[in-house]
Amino acid sequence: MALWGGRFSSGPAGDVFALSQSIDFDWRLAPYDIRSSLAHLAVLEKAKLIAEGDAEKIRTALKQMQKEVRDGTLVPSSEDEDVHSALERVMTERLGAIGGSLRAGRSRNDQVATDLRLFALDHMLELSGFVVALQRAILTKADEYVDAPAPGFTHLQHAQPVLFGHELAKHAHSFARDIDRIKDWYLRTSFSPLGAGALAGSSLHLDPQASARELGFDAAIANSIDAVSDRDFVAEALFILSMIGIHLSRMGEEWCLWSSTEFGWAKLDDAYATGSSIMPQKKNPDIAELARGKAGRLIGNLTSVLAMLKGLPFAYNRDLQEDKEPLFDSLDTLALVLPAFTGMVATTTFNRAKMEAASSTGFSLATEIADFLVRAGIPFAQAHEAAGQCVHLCETTGRDLHELTDAEFAMAHPSLTAEVRKVLTVEGAIASRTTFGGTAPANVRSQIVALNSKITENEIWFADKTKHFSGMMGQ
C-alpha cells in the first residue's frame, strides 16, 4: 500500500514504481522498524494521541509481527514499495483503520533513519566479535613463534632481522585500531532520529528523548533537519569496514608471499587452501587472495556512498535510498571473510629453520656495524658510510659481513675493531633492539600480553553494549 496519494489523481507509472521500490533489500530492516514502531506507539499512547485500547491492539499486533518476521513466516508482497509500507499494510489488514495510527507524528524520513541506525549498531557490534576472534588467532600464533628469528623487510628487501612473533603481532595492532574506531563510531551513532518527522519535528506532544531511551540510544538528535538527513554514520561505518578489509588484504598478501615456493615459510592447512583443476600439485592460498580482492569491493561501497552524499541539499532526498545496499553488502562481505581468514591464520604452520636461515641474508646485519661505530663515538653519517663500504666489499668478493678480516674492517673505519664480530649475529641484533616497541624477545612478549589484555577489555565493552542493545531490541 502507498503511504501517500491524497493529492494525486493516479498512482505512479509502472516504471516509476519499479525504480522507487526498495522492498527487495530494505526488508532486512523489518525487525528494527517494528521495534521503532513500538517505541513510537508508547509515546503516542502517553500523549493520549491513541486510545489505550487501540494502543494495546496495535502493540499486540506489532509483537506478533515481530515474531513472524524472525521466524520467516511474515514476508513482503511484490506489490509493497518498501519495508514501511509493507508493515503498515499488514497492520491495516489485521486491525483495520487503526493500523494506520502509528503514522501520526512520524515520517518515513525519521523512520528509515532510525531503522538504519539500529541495524548498523546491531551489526557493527556483531562484526566486532569476528575482528576480536581474528586478533586472538594472530596473537596465539605470534606467541607460538615469539622466539623464531626471521628477516624483516622494507621495500620487499631484507632490512633487519626480527622475531617472527613480532612480525605477526603487528597485524593485531592494525585490527586493534579498527576496534577502537568501532567503539568511537558507536558513541557517535547512538543518537535517535525518531521524532524529527519529515524534517521539522512535530506539533503533537511527542517525546523524542523517551523514544531514544526506549530504543537504547543515548539521546535524541538535537536538530530535526540533521536527524533525517545525516548519513555520516553510514559513511563512517563503511570507512571502518574498508579499513578492516585493507588490513585483511595486506595480511593476505603476506600469506600469499610466505606460502609461495620461493619463500616456503608458510604451510597452509588443507582445510584452508584449494587446489587446481588441471595441476595436481597446486595448493593455493585462495582465502588470502579472496580477502585481498574483497577489499576493492569494500572501498567501492564507501566511495559510492560518499559520492552520493557529496551534493545533497538538506533535508531528506530520495538519493539516500542508496545508503543501504552498500552498508548491507560490506557487513555481509566481512561476516563471510573474517571467520575463514581467522581459520586460515590459526591453522597455518611456519618453517622456523627456513626463516632463521634467511634472517641474516641480504646483509641484514649491516646496521649493526653502523650502530657499533656510533657507540664508539663516530657520527652516524660516517658510520653509515663505513658500513656501506663493508657491504660493497662483501658484494664484490662474494662473502658475508662476518667473513671480512680484521684488516678489512679497519680499512673501512679505524674504529671497526675485532669486537664488531660480536654484534654480527642475528641473535645479538634482535636482542639489542630493546627500545619500546622493538623486536627484543622481552619486548615482544610484553607486547603480546598487553594486546591480549586490551582485547579482554574490549570484549567486556562489546559484551556490555551487545547485552544492552539486545535487551532494548527484545532479542
Side-chain angles (χ1 to χ4, degrees), residues 349-363:
T349 57
F350 293 93
N351 189 321
R352 289 172 174 268
K354 212 160 198 176
M355 292 189 297
E356 184 170 2
S359 62
S360 62
T361 60
F363 307 110

Side-chain angles (χ1 to χ4, degrees), residues 407-471:
E408 287 170 326
F409 276 126
M411 185 173 61
H413 196 284
S415 295
L416 280 178
T417 65
E419 290 293 305
V420 73
R421 298 182 189 284
K422 294 181 179 179
V423 302
L424 291 179
T425 66
V426 168
E427 294 76 12
I430 289 174
S432 71
R433 295 302 188 272
T434 57
T435 52
F436 181 79
T439 195
N443 287 25
V444 178
R445 288 187 174 91
S446 295
Q447 171 195 178
I448 293 171
V449 169
L451 272 169
N452 273 314
S453 177
K454 180 64 176 176
I455 290 171
T456 299
E457 287 179 24
N458 285 332
E459 284 174 328
I460 293 169
W461 191 91
F462 282 111
D464 177 67
K465 294 300 180 185
T466 300
K467 182 179 179 181
H468 165 78
F469 189 79
S470 296

Side-chain angles (χ1 to χ4, degrees), residues 400-412:
D400 210 338
L401 290 169
H402 69 276
E403 296 175 315
L404 295 178
T405 66
D406 291 351
E408 287 170 326
F409 276 126
M411 185 173 61

